[in-house]
Amino acid sequence: MMSKSDEEVTHTENLLSLKYESLDYDNSENLLFLEEERRINHAAFRTVEVTRWVICGMIGILTGLIACFIDIMVELLAGVKYQVIKDNIDKFTESGGLSFSLLLWATLNAAIVLVGSLLVAFIEPVAAGSGIPQIKCFLNGVKIPHVVRLKTLVIKVCGVILSVSGGLAVGKEGPMIHSGAVIAAGISQGRSTSLKRDFKIFEYFRRDTEKRDFVSAGAAAGVSAAFGAPVGGVLFSLEEGASFWNQLLTWRIFFASVISTFTLNFVLSIYKKKPGDLSNPGLINFGRFDTDVSDALHLFIILTKCGIVGALFNALNNWLTIFRIRYLHRRYLQVVEAVLVAAVTGAVSFVMIYYSTDCQPLREGAMEYPLQLFCADGQYSAMASAFFNTPERSVRSLFHDPAGTFNPQTLGSFTLLYFILAVWTYGLTVSAGVFIPSLLLGAAWGRLFGILLTNIPNSVCTTWADPGKYALMGAAAQLGGIVRMTLSLTVIMVEATGNVTYGFPIMLVLITAKLVGDFFIEGLYDLHIKLQSVPFLHWEAPVTSHSLAAREVMSMQVTCLKRREKVGIIVDILSDTTTNHNGFPVIENDGPARLCGLILRSQLIVLLKHKVFVERENLSITQNRLSLKDFRDAYPRFPPIQSIHVSQDERECLMDLTEFMNPTPYTVPQEASLPRVFKLFRALGLRHLVVVDNHNKVVGLVTRKDLARYRIGKNGLEEMSLAHT
Amino acid sequence: MMSKSDEEVTHTENLLSLKYESLDYDNSENLLFLEEERRINHAAFRTVEVTRWVICGMIGILTGLIACFIDIMVELLAGVKYQVIKDNIDKFTESGGLSFSLLLWATLNAAIVLVGSLLVAFIEPVAAGSGIPQIKCFLNGVKIPHVVRLKTLVIKVCGVILSVSGGLAVGKEGPMIHSGAVIAAGISQGRSTSLKRDFKIFEYFRRDTEKRDFVSAGAAAGVSAAFGAPVGGVLFSLEEGASFWNQLLTWRIFFASVISTFTLNFVLSIYKKKPGDLSNPGLINFGRFDTDVSDALHLFIILTKCGIVGALFNALNNWLTIFRIRYLHRRYLQVVEAVLVAAVTGAVSFVMIYYSTDCQPLREGAMEYPLQLFCADGQYSAMASAFFNTPERSVRSLFHDPAGTFNPQTLGSFTLLYFILAVWTYGLTVSAGVFIPSLLLGAAWGRLFGILLTNIPNSVCTTWADPGKYALMGAAAQLGGIVRMTLSLTVIMVEATGNVTYGFPIMLVLITAKLVGDFFIEGLYDLHIKLQSVPFLHWEAPVTSHSLAAREVMSMQVTCLKRREKVGIIVDILSDTTTNHNGFPVIENDGPARLCGLILRSQLIVLLKHKVFVERENLSITQNRLSLKDFRDAYPRFPPIQSIHVSQDERECLMDLTEFMNPTPYTVPQEASLPRVFKLFRALGLRHLVVVDNHNKVVGLVTRKDLARYRIGKNGLEEMSLAHT
């Protein structure tokens, strides 16, 4: 995504990129930290806890507001667009010359998407896509540059409004999760580095651990706003994101989710001039299914076979993404592709509507923009209700329009074309989510399936009268087959349909879709994480990795520092671009190299910047006093070593690391098996794990990439190669 | 609960019992284990994974069946009882002599409860209560004796049938969670030690780690069957139980839950002669709420104040439990108390019905056993529909009977009396849950509150027409105030009502009930865990505990073994009842005492039993070969050291521990802060954590009790005293 300008980027799946740094989800408990913690009494901790709840509330409110903003803007922009096109089509239907309408539609789409794509490609490429893989990585402990910056949020919000309005086969739900996460990261730090404003609040939370917890809450609030599913949001955060689980944290996440849904509902109810009517949850609202599902279990078995369709989607998109990484890495090419897809989407939609002969009687309030075209008066083109609409509305009409609204030919050709468009669209350089296109696709073939089943003469199965139910099951199967969530998706779907009796069939569909899909290929998000060569730590070490020991996986080139180290040596080590280490075990000055602590590059940088030196001759002189505040102020964008000037005299000074290093880093012996190391590393969210021999001497260092590079391949355990691209 | 025969047991809250042992949720990765793991290839691991799913499926099926059995038996037994009493009352209403009916009712109750209580008190005391605190402890890593034995399950099931039929203010839902857990523990081990049957299957899962995972699934399946809430079950397991979180595990738990609900529904639908009708989920079914909740948010604020009622319940029950622990620790006294409560419950119910003048017109199918008493023909006594019924049915009538069915006086007196009865009942020596009484209580005052609110003239608030909604909110508030779950309880309530629109108000009610309740006193389960002095590890170390270091919390009296140790020394150490250690750091034979491994009492016992000795003179002779199977066969009931005979000659032999000890135990340095130690200990589910100095020499050992004894009290950090009772 963040491409270089070489002509062709070689790309292999067996690559792990070294360009990603890790986050530090283990507090560096140095003396400064312990001193501060010991100063804080119980009452003060209670304040901290209350503050956490307040922040979660604010995250919920802001996320809800952003969701409102996106929703309203899309409504307005898409409304204007569809109105213009409808007027145009209505005009030219009679007089002839509909090719002009085709042109108008394609051009309008292309123009809107052009703006959205330009913003993303040239200002903030990380705002592309749904952002869910990136947030997954963040919560996993991988630092994706710029991912939680304010600028990203702005581009994301504008981008998603433009790409949905531009008629692409995308949804605005996925980006809400990213937006929530950015809001959480921003608020919890009490400042914006993009805006260079520091509100001097929430300073206690300026570290990776706390930020991660809030980002989980933000992601949950995003889901909650997108689908009106507060419980689903919490589960999403846990199922997809969590690398860490804690009851108290879960309650806070839940709180943020509830507040987020509530805010969205409240503001939208005012906007829609029905204040207080909170019955309209979420950006996408499936509408209420009021009838119960009864005995039609046999159908789910058939339906769930279609986890295959999801797997096919993923496989095609996987190839396409590899193609894009190899050949479309120039920004202008990416923009061109996005614009092309927009134009094609418009054109195809038009052609489909044009050649469709499926006319349906106009019902009161059923459609926002009914296209009459060549239908008789009082009728409208059914194909248009699928294509000439935002995808959210199309999903709703597939779910709820009465039987007979769509004929099988219409649905069949729609499914096929929309499938191709959706595969092509995901991964474009625009901000957009894959939830809604998946739902739409699934709803279309689900409904088609339902219609066909009803038409089979002498059918042995009882069928549902309402094809909307098939649409719902199809939507669940398709989405489940693509993203492979089960628990959270069940709850999200149930919360969005508002009918618990659908829970059980939806569960069955999702579990089967997952099992079937996993048989063929991974979930879409995992695929994209893999294609980006991110050192992502899965839940467990590969099952057959007990044959490896820490000795074999660790990096041997560890740079150790002495407890009292020469400033010159430190500067040289930090400036060494060939190693570029971020964590340094600290060893005792005298005797064998026994481990006595661990210090991070970022901490050393702050120490150098504040010249915390001791002169060589006079060891008793006290150093400049540093407090935790100095470290927090520099967090998270520590200056590079090149920006710090150290004079030749200063190079001869010493630096006493005792107070600043973490004196109790976690260690493992060299014989520990890889799963054991992995478990420790992941459970505690470590960044560096020191490997020691049985004299407590440092023999190696395990970092994320050392663990992430092992995976189960076709021939058992495989080792990925590391690369700097 | 498991009382001794002293006259008065002194009991203080500041006590931590030493009688509880820990479970080992960290695999002992010794050479045997690694050898086995390395032998297993990828395909075999896949089989293991599939087996896990199969076991979860079986857990679901069996739990569902047990739930069916309990449900049907209670229906039958309670049906017979109520019919007999109703006939008797009907007979004596006209002829006079209702005091005989009173006597009959009280006697019947007392007789049924007597049997249930005798079973529990004299055969398996751990089957008393709901079992939820015990399962929480198990999942937390505390070994509660007998808690997952087959005998416990049998007593539990019989006990709960009898106590519900006996008319106590109890529910059959809580015990389902315990039942599910026992089933899980039994199936996953492929044998029953109670029955002395070993099916020679699932041997791979014979260790604490795997067992814990299955027990989580069993508990979830239990909730799922009890409330027809599969998602709620998973969340319950995570929110209340989990000490460990893993995506794959969650999916398996979810699978077990879904299967469990399905089985229950399927079997019950056949029993009720409507096969295939799966619309009747769970043991308790709240019935469908079909109308939506709209704008009446102001009410929740009032309602949620009643987290206070929950707190009051807990406080009273807390005092009562302390009283019981002190004075009622003899078994026969416990039985007498249970019988007394049963008789009083019957008598009070009768008196209430007798003096109530609230007659309501009889509606079709509204009541199972309508009592006419002194009401006119075609009418029945309203009080009887609350008292003369199983609590499940009473809850349903409070939720769903139309407005006007109950008058405020009836509800008021019912609430008051039932509150007293419910407080008195929880903690009796019978198998019984607190969910249903809480719901019933809450539903009663909720409905009362709704009626009163409607009657206020010139009310400023809009009210709901349906008092059943107030009942539902009251039930949620009461249950939330007592057990303090939020996320899982929200989902359970929503799944049980079948209406998602109630989710939002229920969430608000539950969150507020929790916050309000926590302000006064802990949740009921936590209270009971504390009263049992269990060394329970909460989610985090006390916030102000950074002032403590590992050095200060660890046990200094560590017994270390040498890598090659004399058998006599090992036997003496294991036989030493004053220390009774369970884990022993292993140190190198020569040089300073450097840590090289950790071995458990249970492993040493197996080694001694199999005489894995090396003769002193001939070190090169190979030992008896032991395999992992020998350890698994002995798991989990390792014989006591006293049962192993070691001759005087053998005492002189050596034992080489290299192959059997865990060569890579987790360690911490002495300076590590308590929260840091705690985090490592809890995240990895450890039992022993070795504290080493910076020469890797053993200086101490941290076990569960060392961490559990610190807590936040009124004056900051408190240390509990340890006792052997």
Side-chain angles (χ1 to χ4, degrees), chain A residues 236-510:
Chain A
F236 175 85
S237 212
L238 288 177
E239 188 175 0
E240 285 298 292
S243 54
F244 180 70
W245 161 269
N246 179 313
Q247 198 185 28
L248 276 170
L249 172 62
T250 312
W251 284 332
R252 286 200 300 270
I253 295 180
F254 187 44
F255 181 67
S257 289
V258 170
I259 296 287
S260 164
T261 305
F262 179 75
T263 309
L264 174 74
N265 272 316
F266 188 71
V267 176
L268 279 190
S269 74
I270 291 174
Y271 175 73
K272 290 179 177 159
K273 304 211 171 56
K274 287 183 278 185
D277 175 15
L278 304 180
S279 58
N280 186 25
L283 289 187
I284 167 108
N285 177 2
F286 292 169
R288 280 289 291 282
F289 279 82
D290 276 330
T291 52
D292 285 7
V293 176
S294 54
D295 51 332
L297 279 174
H298 55 282
L299 287 173
F300 306 135
I301 293 123
I302 310 169
L303 273 167
T304 46
K305 283 201 181 132
C306 308
I308 295 169
V309 183
L312 184 66
F313 185 102
N314 291 2
L316 292 175
N317 192 267
N318 191 25
W319 293 332
L320 188 63
T321 309
I322 293 175
F323 176 84
R324 278 183 182 139
I325 292 176
R326 288 205 184 146
Y327 302 104
L328 295 179
H329 45 85
R330 294 201 172 165
R331 291 178 179 183
Y332 75 91
L333 280 177
Q334 293 171 345
V335 174
V336 168
E337 194 198 4
V339 171
L340 180 67
V341 174
V344 169
T345 308
V348 166
S349 311
F350 185 85
V351 172
M352 287 300 295
I353 296 173
Y354 185 82
Y355 285 109
S356 156
T357 53
D358 185 8
C359 292
Q360 298 290 345
L362 204 54
R363 282 164 301 111
E364 191 66 40
M367 280 201 65
E368 195 93 351
Y369 315 105
L371 274 189
Q372 188 179 348
L373 268 179
F374 306 115
C375 294
D377 282 350
Q379 292 198 319
Y380 71 98
S381 161
M383 190 61 109
S385 79
F387 268 127
F388 194 64
N389 232 333
T390 54
E392 282 86 353
R393 288 182 187 279
S394 308
V395 172
R396 288 194 69 167
S397 40
L398 284 167
F399 282 172
H400 291 292
D401 283 359
T405 316
F406 298 90
N407 73 34
Q409 291 83 355
T410 313
L411 279 177
S413 39
F414 173 77
T415 306
L416 195 68
L417 279 168
Y418 200 80
F419 183 84
I420 296 167
L421 286 174
V423 171
W424 195 8
T425 307
Y426 189 78
L428 283 181
T429 312
V430 294
S431 303
V434 75
F435 271 74
I436 298 299
S438 312
L439 288 173
L440 182 51
L441 206 51
W445 63 249
R447 194 165 175 128
L448 175 64
F449 178 83
I451 296 173
L452 294 180
L453 210 69
T454 325
N455 291 347
I456 295 173
N458 309 322
S459 169
V460 281
C461 341
T462 50
T463 51
W464 296 321
D466 180 5
K469 286 181 189 167
Y470 293 95
L472 181 64
M473 295 304 145
Q478 180 71 33
L479 186 51
I482 290 176
V483 301
R484 308 288 160 77
M485 298 187 266
T486 56
L487 191 61
S488 51
L489 202 52
T490 303
V491 177
I492 290 173
M493 298 284 291
V494 167
E495 287 187 294
T497 49
N499 189 326
V500 177
T501 57
Y502 286 65
F504 191 68
I506 289 176
M507 273 172 219
L508 289 186
V509 165
L510 287 176

Side-chain angles (χ1 to χ4, degrees), chain A residues 29 37-38 239 245-247 251 288 292 486 514 539-540 546 594 664 673 676 694-695 712, chain B residues 26 29 37-38 42 239 245-247 251 288 292 486 539-540 546 594 664 673 676 694-695:
Chain A
E29 293 206 341
E37 292 283 314
R38 282 165 197 172
E239 188 175 0
W245 161 269
N246 179 313
Q247 198 185 28
W251 284 332
R288 280 289 291 282
D292 285 7
T486 56
K514 181 181 166 52
W539 290 92
E540 280 172 358
H546 270 105
R594 291 225 169 78
T664 55
S673 69
R676 198 167 175 79
N694 67 352
H695 292 66
I712 296 286
Chain B
D26 179 45
E29 293 206 341
E37 292 284 312
R38 281 165 197 170
H42 183 215
E239 188 174 0
W245 161 268
N246 178 316
Q247 199 184 26
W251 284 333
R288 280 288 290 282
D292 284 7
T486 55
W539 291 91
E540 279 172 357
H546 270 106
R594 290 224 170 79
T664 56
S673 69
R676 200 168 174 79
N694 68 352
H695 290 66

Side-chain angles (χ1 to χ4, degrees), chain B residues 437-453:
Chain B
S438 311
L439 287 173
L440 181 52
L441 205 52
W445 63 249
R447 193 162 175 132
L448 175 64
F449 178 83
I451 296 174
L452 294 180
L453 210 70

Side-chain angles (χ1 to χ4, degrees), chain B residues 369-619:
Chain B
Y369 316 104
L371 273 190
Q372 187 179 345
L373 267 179
F374 307 115
C375 294
D377 281 351
Q379 292 200 319
Y380 71 97
S381 161
M383 190 63 107
S385 81
F387 267 128
F388 195 65
N389 231 333
T390 55
E392 283 85 353
R393 288 182 187 278
S394 308
V395 172
R396 287 193 70 166
S397 40
L398 285 167
F399 282 172
H400 291 292
D401 283 357
T405 316
F406 298 91
N407 73 34
Q409 291 83 355
T410 312
L411 280 176
S413 40
F414 174 76
T415 305
L416 194 67
L417 279 168
Y418 201 80
F419 182 83
I420 296 167
L421 286 175
V423 171
W424 195 7
T425 308
Y426 189 79
L428 283 182
T429 312
V430 294
S431 302
V434 75
F435 271 72
I436 297 299
S438 311
L439 287 173
L440 181 52
L441 205 52
W445 63 249
R447 193 162 175 132
L448 175 64
F449 178 83
I451 296 174
L452 294 180
L453 210 70
T454 326
N455 291 347
I456 295 172
N458 309 318
S459 169
V460 283
C461 341
T462 51
T463 51
W464 296 322
D466 180 5
K469 287 182 189 167
Y470 293 94
L472 181 65
M473 295 304 145
Q478 180 69 37
L479 185 50
I482 290 177
V483 301
R484 308 290 160 75
M485 299 188 267
T486 55
L487 192 62
S488 50
L489 202 52
T490 304
V491 177
I492 290 173
M493 297 284 291
V494 168
E495 287 187 294
T497 50
N499 190 326
V500 177
T501 56
Y502 286 64
F504 191 69
I506 288 176
M507 275 171 218
L508 289 186
V509 166
L510 287 176
I511 289 182
T512 324
K514 182 183 164 53
L515 293 177
V516 173
D518 279 352
F519 185 77
F520 293 103
I521 194 167
E522 287 166 88
L524 190 62
Y525 299 139
D526 288 331
L527 275 179
H528 277 256
I529 289 174
K530 209 163 90 181
L531 287 175
Q532 294 295 319
S533 309
V534 176
F536 188 86
L537 289 186
H538 291 276
W539 291 91
E540 279 172 357
V543 279
T544 53
S545 58
H546 270 106
S547 51
L548 289 169
R551 194 190 305 110
E552 294 153 275
V553 302
M554 68 190 185
S555 318
M556 308 277 270
Q557 316 133 314
V558 191
T559 317
C560 292
L561 296 176
K562 297 225 171 80
R563 193 191 271 269
R564 276 169 169 260
E565 186 64 274
K566 250 179 79 181
V567 172
I569 294 182
I570 294 180
V571 172
D572 290 343
I573 288 173
L574 292 185
S575 310
D576 184 353
T577 49
T578 55
T579 57
N580 205 24
H581 288 310
N582 284 298
F584 305 92
V586 181
I587 54 177
E588 297 291 358
N589 275 55
D590 35 292
R594 290 224 170 79
L595 178 72
C596 67
L598 181 79
I599 195 152
L600 300 174
R601 168 184 288 265
S602 57
Q603 292 172 322
L604 290 173
I605 295 268
V606 175
L607 294 182
L608 286 175
K609 204 175 134 199
H610 289 82
K611 314 270 179 206
V612 191
F613 307 146
V614 191
E615 289 196 27
R616 204 165 195 31
E617 297 81 39
N618 193 346
L619 288 176

Side-chain angles (χ1 to χ4, degrees), chain B residues 210-274:
Chain B
E210 297 281 350
K211 204 169 170 183
R212 168 196 61 181
D213 291 354
F214 289 112
V215 167
S216 322
V223 177
S224 169
F227 298 96
V231 178
V234 178
L235 288 180
F236 174 85
S237 210
L238 289 175
E239 188 174 0
E240 285 298 294
S243 55
F244 179 71
W245 161 268
N246 178 316
Q247 199 184 26
L248 276 170
L249 171 63
T250 313
W251 284 333
R252 285 200 301 270
I253 294 180
F254 188 43
F255 181 67
S257 289
V258 170
I259 295 289
S260 163
T261 305
F262 179 76
T263 308
L264 173 74
N265 273 317
F266 187 72
V267 175
L268 279 189
S269 74
I270 290 174
Y271 175 72
K272 290 179 178 158
K273 304 210 171 56
K274 287 182 278 183

Side-chain angles (χ1 to χ4, degrees), chain A residues 18-82:
Chain A
L18 289 175
K19 75 178 171 193
Y20 295 104
E21 289 184 15
S22 272
L23 295 163
D24 222 323
Y25 289 156
D26 178 47
N27 287 332
S28 172
E29 293 206 341
N30 56 22
L31 292 181
L32 292 180
F33 176 82
L34 287 177
E35 219 168 77
E36 189 195 70
E37 292 283 314
R38 282 165 197 172
R39 251 199 333 267
I40 305 179
N41 64 8
H42 182 217
F45 270 113
R46 190 169 277 243
T47 318
V48 169
E49 184 61 23
V50 170
T51 315
R52 287 201 185 100
W53 282 83
V54 171
I55 294 176
C56 282
M58 290 165 65
I59 292 169
I61 293 174
L62 264 178
T63 307
L65 290 178
I66 296 268
C68 285
F69 177 72
I70 293 180
D71 193 47
I72 294 172
M73 289 306 291
V74 168
E75 290 264 318
L76 291 179
L77 205 55
V80 169
K81 188 190 88 174
Y82 285 121

